[in-house]
Amino acid sequence: MKIKRPHLLLGVALVGLIMLAVPLPAFAQSCALCYTQAASAGARMIQALRSGILILILPPTFMSVGMIFIVHHKRNQFKRSEEADEPGQDW
């Protein structure tokens, strides 16, 4: 049984909407140890936690942006070469 592409796309979109509808605070309450450690920590520990969060978030974000840039650049490069190969055009 083969799933048609519109149905597959609709299914992926539906799953995405369901994931967005789930309340985010429910996921934040999962680690009691992290919550108690952060609540009882001093100013230096809170700053270390904030720095750690940035260190864990920034590299994947920059890598994702870089990959999007490279893919977009390569896509445009292939489009330009295909347009140049078409017969009847004088470049």
Side-chain angles (χ1 to χ4, degrees), residues 5-81:
R5 287 204 182 262
H7 291 105
L8 180 65
L9 183 61
L10 182 64
V12 170
L14 185 62
V15 168
L17 286 173
I18 290 171
M19 291 300 290
L20 288 174
V22 175
L24 292 178
F27 291 118
Q29 303 299 324
S30 63
C31 183
L33 180 62
C34 296
Y35 177 77
T36 56
Q37 288 294 322
S40 65
R44 289 187 71 188
M45 182 63 174
I46 292 172
Q47 184 61 34
L49 282 171
R50 288 182 182 157
S51 298
I53 291 169
L54 286 177
I55 288 171
L56 290 173
I57 289 177
L58 288 179
T61 303
F62 287 138
M63 286 188 284
S64 298
V65 169
M67 284 185 8
I68 290 169
F69 176 76
I70 290 170
V71 168
H72 182 72
H73 179 72
K74 289 292 183 183
R75 184 194 69 173
N76 287 340
Q77 184 180 13
F78 286 122
K79 280 186 177 180
R80 278 187 248 127
S81 66

